[in-house]
Amino acid sequence: GDSVTQMEGPVTLSEEAFLTINCTYTATGYPSLFWYVQYPGEGLQLLLKATKADDKGSNKGFEATYRKETTSFHLEKGSVQVSDSAVYFCALRRSDSWGKLQFGAGTQVVVTP
Amino acid sequence: EAGVTQSPTHLIKTRGQQATLRCSPISGHTSVYWYQQALGLGLQFLLWYDEGEERNRGNFPPRFSGRQFPNYSSELNVNALELEDSALYLCASSLGQRATNEKLFFGSGTQLSVL
């Protein structure tokens, strides 16, 4: 079946450091890929998405590129802020399964001043 | 504009009881999704309703059920509660399958504790 694997947290880093969260997936066909973020006390929010191979999603300084050859969608940010502290979820949606997102386990990121 | 609202925020039940969770989607959204976020298991897809009908269902037993009302709000019912049903239940809404934008908007969830 479909699955999403992301690196375990927590990831702790200092302000202005470079952030990478690895995400790999297993799915048939060509799924759409997403990163969602959950800030403390808030609901999940879509951070970025990519719908086909080599697409790059970007938002709020975060980027992720859909790599079909390595089945990966790693999230990166060049200079994190304390306000980026949150739990980040990688997810996929198959084209034949509208409405059903398959999420990874989530990675907690803690940014210290 | 109001976001996705869920009630109650917290719910405490005992084994064998029934729980009812409620969700109001964003105005104009016709699709409602339910997810379970259990400790250590991540987010698991439960149910998807669109235009009042169940469109997709995750790998959960039949005691997890729900419905969508004409105003597009939704209820999730969990019968014969078990300890492992303790989790955060998240509701999300979207414009529905006729829309090209599939973006989901999530509520803050209902924390269900089964004692």
Side-chain angles (χ1 to χ4, degrees), chain A residues 32 34 36 38 41-44 46 49 51 89 93 97-101 103-105, chain B residues 33 35 37 42-43 45 48 56 88 90 96-97 99-104 106-108:
Chain A
S32 295
F34 306 83
Y36 277 81
Q38 188 174 32
E42 299 183 17
L44 271 77
L46 178 64
K49 71 174 186 180
T51 58
F89 293 88
R93 183 184 69 77
S97 190
W98 182 283
K100 180 180 177 181
L101 285 168
F103 283 91
Chain B
Y33 314 80
Y35 284 83
Q37 187 175 14
L43 281 134
F45 170 77
W48 168 38
N56 204 344
L88 181 67
L90 294 172
Q97 60 182 340
T100 56
N101 183 354
E102 63 196 313
K103 183 175 178 179
L104 270 63
F106 283 82
S108 298

Side-chain angles (χ1 to χ4, degrees), chain B residues 18-94:
Chain B
Q18 179 197 38
T20 298
L21 288 64
R22 296 180 176 83
C23 173
S24 293
I26 289 172
S27 177
H29 286 188
T30 62
S31 276
V32 170
Y33 314 80
W34 288 96
Y35 284 83
Q36 182 195 65
Q37 187 175 14
L39 268 176
L41 293 177
L43 281 134
Q44 304 292 322
F45 170 77
L46 264 166
L47 289 160
W48 168 38
Y49 292 95
D50 184 65
E51 301 276 0
E53 300 210 0
E54 184 180 301
R55 302 292 185 182
N56 204 344
R57 183 181 178 86
N59 189 25
F60 280 82
R63 57 191 185 82
F64 286 83
S65 65
R67 54 181 173 166
Q68 186 178 33
F69 299 98
N71 66 353
Y72 304 115
S73 67
S74 176
E75 271 184 3
L76 174 68
N77 295 294
V78 188
N79 295 320
L81 283 165
E82 299 178 3
L83 296 177
E84 53 264 34
D85 296 333
S86 295
L88 181 67
Y89 289 82
L90 294 172
C91 174
S93 74
S94 76

Side-chain angles (χ1 to χ4, degrees), chain A residues 8-69:
Chain A
E8 287 190 24
V11 173
T12 303
L13 56 168
S14 301
E15 210 166 18
E16 298 183 3
F18 186 88
L19 170 68
T20 298
I21 304 176
N22 290 338
C23 170
T24 57
Y25 68 90
T26 302
T28 55
Y30 297 89
S32 295
L33 301 174
F34 306 83
W35 276 101
Y36 277 81
V37 58
Q38 188 174 32
Y39 297 106
E42 299 183 17
L44 271 77
Q45 303 174 26
L46 178 64
L47 182 58
L48 53 84
K49 71 174 186 180
T51 58
K52 60 183 188 296
D54 299 325
D55 265 3
K56 178 186 284 188
S58 61
N59 186 25
K60 298 182 180 179
F62 290 89
E63 291 183 342
T65 300
Y66 189 144
R67 301 288 187 199
K68 181 69 176 173
E69 64 276 13

Side-chain angles (χ1 to χ4, degrees), chain A residues 77-111:
Chain A
K77 186 173 185 181
S79 177
V80 293
Q81 305 299 312
V82 172
S83 57
D84 293 324
S85 298
V87 181
Y88 294 81
F89 293 88
C90 186
L92 69 81
R93 183 184 69 77
R94 284 171 40 178
S95 58
D96 62 349
S97 190
W98 182 283
K100 180 180 177 181
L101 285 168
Q102 180 76 40
F103 283 91
T107 302
Q108 183 179 13
V109 172
V110 178
V111 181

